[in-house]
Amino acid sequence: MPDYIYSMETRLTPDQQRGVNLIQEIARHAGLNVYLTGGTIRDLITGFPIRDIDLSIQGNPLKLQKELEKAGISVQGVEEELHALHLLMPGNVRAELNQTRSETYDKPGKPPEVSAATINEDLRRRDFTVNAMALSLNPGSRGLLLDPFNGVADVEAKVLRVLHNYAFLEDPIRLIRATRLSARFHWPLEERTQARYDAAKENNYIEFVGKRSVGAELEQLAHEDDPINIMRALEKEGWLKILHPHWSVAKAEASDLVHAIKLRQTLNDLGYSLETGPIAMYFLTRKMSDKDVSEIQRMIPRRDFVDKWKHLEHDAQDLAKKLGSREAATNSGSWKILSNAAPERILFLSLTTRQSAIDQKIKNFLTKWRQVREKLPFPEMAEMRITAQLPEYPKILDEAFLLLLDGKLRSHNEIVNFLKPYEPPPPPPPPAPKRGRGKAAAELAAPAPAAATATGKRGRKPKGAAAAPVAAAPAPPAATADTKKPAAPAKHAPEPKKPALAKAAKKQAEPAKRSAIPKKKATPARKAASAKKKKKSAPKKPVAKRAAKRKR
């Protein structure tokens, strides 16, 4: 089984992933099961960009509205009859949180009767098989894909298939949705689905379509990556007149839309997240009358979307005034103004301004000025010990960047003078080397005595080492005639005490074997005493042998 959790974590943008985790955590604390559903799963499997996040919850999401707002999620629209919330999560991530429900249609195009249901029943009431899939986000079944209508197979076959025979009759807006999805993905309708589509179009089921459904399709058109292509497909099928009778491709500013798509990609590459739907809708209706534009705005259910659309021109003029003021006389001043402005305002002003100076500032902000940051950090910063470990390091970089934008800090002396107030104090000198304890370290540092270095262990001689001569001890005085015992030999002088680390010195310098002590001189008294001593120490003969010798 494919690892859909891994696919979700890799395919969703970081902002989308954080938004899903927020809603998942809020639902878990409320004890409710939550699922990723609809187009999110379809785009997750196909590899197309995931534009919106569709979530379904087994419970009433309206009760979670306060918790969502506390978590930083903006509630932009509430549909009480359907128990649905339109959300704008951090990072301009659009999401829809629905209650799992079943729908019963009494008349074509009329709002259905809604009742709470399980996730499987919720998947049955949807339009196409590729939109009737769900991915569990609950602890006990996280990563489990629910696909009761084999939507994965239709995704692999790249076809659109309705769930049942009355899909276009129950909700005629699905005719427009089928055309829009087919044009976006370049997928054909499945054979039987195409036959039902043609029959619904021939029987004019579209006349039963509801205004709320048309308003939702209008907003979806604004979020398409290539809305002009979708408009051409809708116009070809005759559905564009259903969205508004005075609307056509000719009344859209196609060239401005192309520039808007390119500039949006540039801002996305720079790390900005934009909601470009209101801007796209502005250019799609650019050549329509104010009355027709107002009618379209009233049909769109999400009022926050409409408010942004209405205030585009006013916000752009406000930004243009700031860029033309004294505050923006320097490059650094213009950078500060544009850095604090919403990216949607920058995009729209770049597309609509007629002032070359303002247009040049926006271009420099997006390209040239950002290249100045590549000069930082200065090599002098490392020499002056100004590193990232300093708490004021980001502030130093920002100040240096603004000065560089204004043409300052060009020479080495200017850079040093700027950095000098931030230079940390020099490090303290290294501590003195630690000495050993007591006399042992002093004796180790002092030269070893000659006797200790020249001699090793008594009675051992290292291989290949010559015996070092040792001064002969003085001869004892000769024994006198009237004394029986020989004179006592003179005692050797006491050897100096060996240092505590003499063993280490002996191992480093292999000592020579101590030379033999010279023998004492032989005198007549000594010879007599030696003979007497030998006689006493001679072994005695056995008694039996002595007796036998006497008899002889």
Side-chain angles (χ1 to χ4, degrees):
M1 184 179 76
D3 190 351
Y4 292 105
I5 291 297
Y6 175 77
S7 300
M8 181 184 69
E9 293 175 351
T10 54
R11 293 274 293 107
L12 293 178
T13 66
D15 290 331
Q16 290 174 337
Q17 185 66 51
R18 283 190 289 269
V20 170
N21 291 339
L22 278 176
I23 295 178
Q24 176 185 337
E25 192 66 18
I26 292 172
R28 187 180 67 84
H29 281 293
L32 302 175
N33 292 332
V34 63
Y35 303 87
L36 273 177
T37 55
T40 305
I41 304 301
R42 177 199 65 218
D43 296 339
L44 186 72
I45 297 173
T46 59
F48 286 99
I50 300 174
R51 305 179 310 162
D52 306 326
I53 302 297
D54 296 329
L55 296 122
S56 296
I57 190 170
Q58 286 185 332
N60 188 357
L62 303 182
K63 296 180 179 180
L64 304 179
Q65 183 172 349
K66 292 183 179 180
E67 297 297 327
L68 293 170
E69 291 175 345
K70 288 180 181 179
I73 299 174
S74 173
V75 179
Q76 296 189 318
V78 178
E79 296 186 55
E80 295 184 358
E81 63 279 6
L82 297 178
H83 291 161
L85 296 175
H86 299 282
L87 308 175
L88 184 64
M89 298 188 288
N92 286 327
V93 176
R94 287 177 290 106
E96 188 172 343
L97 184 61
N98 297 297
Q99 180 186 30
T100 54
R101 64 183 188 267
S102 62
E103 297 178 347
T104 304
Y105 291 88
D106 293 335
K107 294 182 180 180
K110 296 294 181 181
E113 293 183 3
V114 177
S115 60
T118 63
I119 183 62
N120 288 323
E121 292 172 330
D122 181 81
L123 296 179
R124 290 192 189 98
R125 57 107 184 154
R126 295 180 179 260
D127 46 12
F128 305 102
T129 58
V130 295
N131 293 337
M133 296 181 286
L135 184 67
S136 173
L137 301 178
N138 307 300
S141 59
R142 182 175 172 82
L144 176 65
L145 180 69
L146 304 178
D147 184 16
F149 301 101
N150 206 11
V152 173
D154 288 337
V155 168
E156 294 176 353
K158 298 181 179 181
V159 296
L160 294 174
R161 185 195 309 269
V162 291
L163 295 184
H164 49 81
N165 295 336
Y166 302 101
F168 295 124
L169 178 62
E170 290 179 347
D171 193 357
I173 198 65
R174 291 169 179 168
L175 293 167
I176 299 177
R177 193 176 305 159
T179 304
R180 177 170 59 83
L181 293 178
S182 178
R184 184 206 299 177
F185 299 128
H186 303 285
W187 291 357
L189 299 180
E190 180 264 340
E191 184 178 356
R192 292 183 180 179
T193 301
Q194 183 66 53
R196 296 187 181 99
Y197 176 91
D198 295 337
K201 187 177 179 181
E202 182 178 354
N203 293 322
N204 202 22
Y205 289 172
I206 198 66
E207 66 180 4
F208 301 111
V209 69
K211 291 184 178 181
R212 177 192 167 277
S213 300
V214 171
E217 274 301 312
L218 283 168
E219 183 183 348
Q220 288 298 322
L221 178 61
H223 295 305
E224 290 289 342
D225 292 333
D226 189 1
I228 294 296
N229 179 49
I230 306 299
M231 284 188 69
R232 291 194 181 102
L234 294 176
E235 190 175 40
K236 181 180 179 180
E237 294 293 322
W239 306 137
L240 199 58
K241 296 295 182 181
I242 302 300
L243 297 179
H244 194 276
H246 300 155
W247 206 11
S248 65
V249 177
K251 293 186 178 181
E253 288 284 358
S255 60
D256 288 339
L257 275 172
V258 172
H259 291 311
I261 293 171
K262 291 181 179 179
L263 191 54
R264 178 186 62 186
Q265 185 60 45
T266 301
L267 290 168
N268 288 336
D269 295 339
L270 294 176
Y272 292 100
S273 56
L274 298 85
E275 186 184 5
T276 57
I279 297 176
M281 208 65 190
Y282 175 88
F283 290 114
L284 288 174
T285 59
R286 182 69 180 274
K287 299 178 181 179
M288 296 179 69
S289 65
D290 294 340
K291 180 181 178 181
D292 293 338
V293 172
S294 298
E295 289 178 359
I296 293 176
Q297 291 174 346
R298 285 194 296 270
M299 294 171 66
I300 296 177
R302 290 181 61 179
R303 305 316 305 166
D304 185 77
F305 176 90
V306 176
D307 290 340
K308 290 180 179 179
W309 177 7
K310 289 180 178 180
H311 291 88
L312 280 175
E313 293 182 346
H314 177 269
D315 294 341
Q317 291 174 1
D318 183 58
L319 181 58
K321 288 181 181 179
K322 291 182 179 180
L323 290 175
S325 64
R326 291 184 179 180
E327 186 182 356
T330 60
N331 292 341
S332 60
S334 299
W335 172 270
K336 291 179 182 178
I337 293 173
L338 290 171
S339 298
N340 295 326
E344 293 85 0
R345 294 188 182 185
I346 298 174
L347 188 150
F348 186 76
L349 180 59
S350 176
L351 295 171
T352 57
T353 185
R354 296 182 180 179
Q355 302 180 37
S356 58
I358 292 177
D359 185 54
Q360 187 61 43
K361 287 181 179 180
I362 295 176
K363 289 180 179 178
N364 291 339
F365 173 75
L366 298 177
T367 55
K368 182 179 178 180
W369 291 345
R370 295 180 182 274
Q371 298 173 1
V372 177
R373 279 195 177 271
E374 298 177 1
K375 298 180 181 180
L376 298 174
F378 297 121
E380 291 84 354
M381 297 178 73
E383 297 173 2
M384 301 175 71
R385 303 181 307 281
I386 300 176
T387 59
Q389 284 71 28
L390 296 177
E392 62 271 17
Y393 186 76
K395 177 184 175 183
I396 297 172
L397 291 182
D398 291 340
E399 291 183 7
F401 171 66
L402 295 177
L403 291 172
L404 285 173
L405 287 180
D406 293 337
K408 301 176 182 179
L409 301 184
R410 294 180 179 178
S411 65
H412 172 74
N413 292 335
E414 291 178 344
I415 295 173
V416 171
N417 292 334
F418 166 73
L419 296 175
K420 201 166 186 180
Y422 302 103
E423 184 180 10
K434 294 183 179 180
R435 299 189 176 276
R437 297 180 180 177
K439 297 180 180 180
E443 292 175 355
L444 180 62
T453 57
T455 50
K457 291 184 179 180
R458 188 183 293 267
R460 294 185 182 179
K461 180 179 179 180
K463 295 181 181 181
V470 181
T480 57
D482 40 330
T483 57
K484 293 182 180 180
K485 292 183 180 181
K491 294 182 179 180
H492 292 284
E495 296 181 2
K497 293 183 178 180
K498 298 180 180 180
L501 301 177
K503 292 183 179 181
K506 287 179 182 179
K507 291 182 180 180
Q508 294 178 358
E510 296 182 355
K513 185 179 180 182
R514 182 178 294 182
S515 61
I517 300 175
K519 296 181 179 180
K520 301 176 182 179
K521 290 183 179 181
T523 59
R526 286 182 181 278
K527 289 181 179 180
S530 178
K532 189 176 180 180
K533 187 176 182 180
K534 287 181 179 180
K535 187 176 180 180
K536 287 181 179 181
S537 61
K540 296 180 179 181
K541 295 181 180 181
V543 178
K545 288 184 178 182
R546 284 187 291 180
K549 192 174 181 182
R550 287 175 185 172
K551 288 181 181 181
R552 290 175 191 169

